[in-house]
Amino acid sequence: MKENKPSIDGDQLLAILSALANPHRLRIIAALAAGGRNYVSQLARDIGISRPLLHLHLQKLEQAGLVTSRLELSHDGKALNYFEAAAFAVALTPEAIAEAVKSLTTNLEK
């Protein structure tokens, strides 16, 4: 019996692969997967990069659907933006790529 997995479209696949093609972003996902949700300042300290750089990488990961964020108030009234790794699984096979390419809208010729 063939599994009915939701197929990923070409643009989603491209966004995911692009987001994962950076060592900082891989470290961010690994840290969130190992330690659970975390707020930006602590995550920046844990990974060893600046908060502005971390924000750029988190934005790319969030746009690709690989992390999620939630703004919460701490007990002392500070707004903290918590991030966590989203549940995702991407089957990277020639067949999956061939299927995803059919819906690719990004024009690489530009």
Side-chain angles (χ1 to χ4, degrees):
M1 179 180 218
K2 191 174 183 178
E3 290 183 40
N4 278 344
K5 291 183 184 177
S7 62
I8 190 164
D9 73 33
D11 293 338
Q12 288 173 309
L13 180 60
L14 197 57
I16 290 168
L17 294 175
S18 176
L20 293 175
N22 181 285
H24 288 306
R25 293 192 284 264
L26 290 177
R27 287 185 187 100
I28 292 165
I29 291 176
L32 292 172
R37 71 185 201 120
N38 208 339
Y39 61 99
V40 172
S41 295
Q42 184 60 50
L43 189 55
R45 285 190 292 273
D46 291 348
I47 295 172
I49 62 175
S50 69
R51 286 191 342 231
L53 181 59
L54 178 61
H55 271 289
L56 290 172
H57 289 303
L58 285 168
Q59 183 179 23
K60 181 92 168 175
L61 289 168
E62 194 168 23
Q63 288 170 347
L66 302 175
V67 301
T68 59
S69 67
R70 182 177 171 154
L71 192 61
E72 297 180 15
L73 291 178
S74 67
H75 63 280
D76 61 355
K78 289 182 183 176
L80 299 174
N81 200 4
Y82 281 91
F83 285 85
E84 63 185 329
F88 65 90
V90 178
L92 201 52
T93 64
E95 295 79 18
I97 292 170
E99 187 61 32
V101 165
K102 294 176 185 175
S103 62
L104 192 60
T105 62
T106 305
N107 185 354
L108 298 176
E109 299 297 319
K110 290 182 180 179

